Amino acid sequence: MVELRTKEFVGKAESIKSRELSMKSLVESLKEKISNIDNQKNSIKRRIASLYAELSSVEYDTNEDDEPDYNLIAFIENQIAQAKNELNDAEQEISSRAGELQKAEKEFEQIEEEKQQTLFEIQQRARTTSKNLSSASKIYGAYVDIGESLKQSFQAGLDALTQAAAILDGSVGVSDFSSAGG
């Protein structure tokens, strides 16, 4: 893996955060769609049960000729068949969305792992940068100008790392580097 320059961590952090938020939104959207379809499925099941109850009562009802109302029976049976098709469609849609959800959750998990790894790298780099900043603060004499330049450079790097960590909902533990300010 190519080592990132300190300031490149901000761009990487922004990219990870963007993908994290996008994938989190997709996961939530899929969960909501599955829940809505599941509610529709339950409604269809209740409708089917109601139609079967209606069919059962109609089969025992007779018209003026003491015969069952075959037209009404056929109509109810047709409604049951349509409801069963709707139920099948809903179950297939849930299955399809569940597959999408599983894939999205796996991708979200990978993004979270990348986020944690990047945050760890940022924290490691911040420790090194802080030590370098502390060392640059100790430069004096004829090299004081070089020391000041190095301090500014290291501080800018530490600021960038702090920003990148914050984007990833973390920190560089600046309190750990309290000796760095000099």
Side-chain angles (χ1 to χ4, degrees):
M1 180 178 134
V2 175
E3 190 169 320
L4 292 178
R5 292 184 343 191
T6 300
K7 293 182 180 182
E8 292 174 339
F9 276 106
V10 172
K12 183 175 183 183
E14 288 172 341
S15 171
I16 291 170
K17 189 65 174 184
S18 174
R19 289 184 293 126
E20 175 191 33
L21 293 175
S22 175
M23 195 53 58
K24 187 175 186 176
S25 175
L26 176 62
V27 166
E28 292 305 315
S29 173
L30 287 169
K31 284 181 179 179
E32 185 177 330
K33 286 178 184 175
I34 289 171
S35 176
N36 289 340
I37 297 167
D38 194 48
N39 289 339
Q40 289 173 354
K41 184 178 108 173
N42 291 333
S43 176
I44 293 168
K45 284 181 175 181
R46 287 190 299 274
R47 191 171 77 215
I48 289 172
S50 174
L51 286 169
Y52 271 119
E54 187 178 344
L55 179 63
S56 179
S57 70
V58 168
E59 287 176 337
Y60 295 107
D61 283 347
T62 56
N63 60 17
E64 58 273 352
D65 298 329
D66 278 341
E67 292 186 9
D69 187 345
Y70 293 112
N71 288 333
L72 183 56
I73 291 171
F75 177 75
I76 294 171
E77 286 176 341
N78 187 38
Q79 285 185 321
I80 290 171
Q82 287 176 349
K84 283 183 175 181
N85 284 337
E86 289 175 34
L87 181 62
N88 185 46
D89 291 347
E91 288 171 342
Q92 287 178 353
E93 181 73 12
I94 287 173
S95 178
S96 173
R97 297 292 180 168
E100 290 176 41
L101 176 61
Q102 186 177 18
K103 182 180 174 187
E105 286 175 330
K106 184 175 180 161
E107 191 171 333
F108 181 75
E109 196 175 286
Q110 290 170 342
I111 291 169
E112 288 299 303
E113 287 173 12
E114 181 183 3
K115 176 181 171 181
Q116 291 308 313
Q117 178 61 36
T118 302
L119 190 54
F120 176 77
E121 290 171 20
I122 289 169
Q123 290 166 340
Q124 292 296 100
R125 180 72 63 92
R127 282 182 186 84
T128 302
T129 303
S130 179
K131 287 176 186 174
N132 291 341
L133 178 59
S134 180
S135 295
S137 295
K138 295 174 185 171
I139 296 176
Y140 59 92
Y143 301 105
V144 75
D145 289 342
I146 294 172
E148 282 302 313
S149 177
L150 287 171
K151 277 177 43 179
Q152 289 174 2
S153 177
F154 290 137
Q155 187 60 54
L158 192 56
D159 291 347
L161 292 168
T162 301
Q163 180 184 359
I167 291 168
L168 296 176
D169 307 318
S171 71
V172 294
V174 174
S175 61
D176 298 339
F177 311 133
S178 57
S179 64

